[in-house]
Amino acid sequence: MLTRTSTQSLTAQLAGRFAERIRDRLLAPGARLPSVRECARQQGVSPHTVVAAYDQLLAQGLVEARRQRGFYVRDSGAAGAPEPASTRSAPAQPPVQLVAADASTLIRGMFHRPSDKPQPGMGVFPPDWLESTFMPAAVRRVTSTKALQEFSLQYGEPAGDSGLRRSLSTKLASINVPATPDQIVTTIGATHALDIVSRTLLRAGDPVMVEEPGWALEFARLEALGMRILPVPRKADGPDLEVMERYCTAGEGHKPKLFVSVSVLHNPTGYSLTPGSAHRVLQLANRHDFHIVEDDTYSHLAPEHATRLSALDGLQRTIYVSGFAKILAPNWRIGFLAASPALVGRLLETKLLATLTSPALFERALAWCIDQGQLRRHADRVRVRLDGARGRTVKLALAAGCTLASEPAGLFGWVDTGVDTDALTQRMLDEGYLLAPGSLFHARRPPTTLMRINFATAQDATFWKVFARVRDKL
């Protein structure tokens, strides 16, 4: 919020806020700034203050003024390009061309929040949900003078701390995934593990099957590596097997080499794989010779008996990936992968080429948290709290006129708003809320009325009141 007690003027504060959003791409090139009158109303300042702030943004080259149409974020790639005469002289105001948020926008929002309000589009728990007394204790235990020097003054084990890999092996056994410590490689977060798998098994241009809707970062990451994405519709019981079969029989050069799946508490739908669907997916993989990478990022929120491809397959064609950023410590950046003995050596080589090793300090601290039962008890507490938040959020969403596109489960809800959520996202950003529009979760970004909400951060009645007001205007 703007404050009159700040050492900065209201004009400077407002200009700085917009400048930060533009530089962090929370406002994308081509996005329209609120009208002077609307911005003044939102911020509780005079129109003169808004005009002065927009003038500062103009002077910095961050926005451009279009006659009779307002102020727009400038495309830095087109800096200095003159505005077409047809645009300058247009007497009418055509519909505003809204620029959709992309995966980078959502990721940046995790680090540069648009306001201090709860953010329903975020993919993480609020920090206060993750607070604990055992994490500082774990770090203190592994940073005694002797221990700190031991692993700070030399490189760690290439595959990761052996103690943590033993702990992870035991933890995987509890969900029936058979992996010895030698079959496990620690990584710098689960995303790094997914990247290692892609760089090991694929080459630019290779076809990859990815569930759709699916996590926006996975689409963006694979596209950046030059892969050809083959979207597979995700249904309540699992992936659409008929679509997968068509991809697999497309002919030489078009057959997929990898399938990326979130079996349990799928993001964004919350769906979990059924045993029957899992068996058919594995039969398809064996018949058509492709690997499956199973992203079990949300395993800590799921029941142990949930169906996992890696448990049924015994890590023959599957590669299991998970991490601890969601449930414990985002900044510790600890993830891991588990694979067959025949494949794990190749995956380790890819890790070595990129990072050599991973930091042992937090890996040893995490091993202590697992071995002492602290992680399990912490996850139990978070699950109970999440169950309450989910119930409250569902009631608020329904009261606001939304419908649920899938049965609510896990951290995320897949909600139908009734309006184009790309347009809604831009409007809600003006109100200080970052949403996750449904188009983000599709490879080709089609317009949709769906959005993903975080049950932990969307249980705020004020958000839903603002949401309903902005949506009704659309």
Side-chain angles (χ1 to χ4, degrees), residues 106 110 119-125 215 267 298 326 411-412 452 454 457:
L106 206 58
M110 290 169 57
Q119 299 300 320
M122 292 294 193
V124 295
F125 284 111
W215 175 213
N267 177 13
Y298 307 100
K326 288 287 188 293
L411 181 58
F412 300 122
R452 187 198 72 182
N454 180 327
T457 56

Side-chain angles (χ1 to χ4, degrees), residues 52 82 109 120 122 137 150 170 174 216 241 286 309 341 359 371 380 386 393 423 467:
M122 292 294 193
E150 177 187 335
T170 302
S174 70
L241 292 160
N286 285 319
L309 291 162
D371 295 343
D380 289 344
L386 180 59
T393 300
F467 164 87

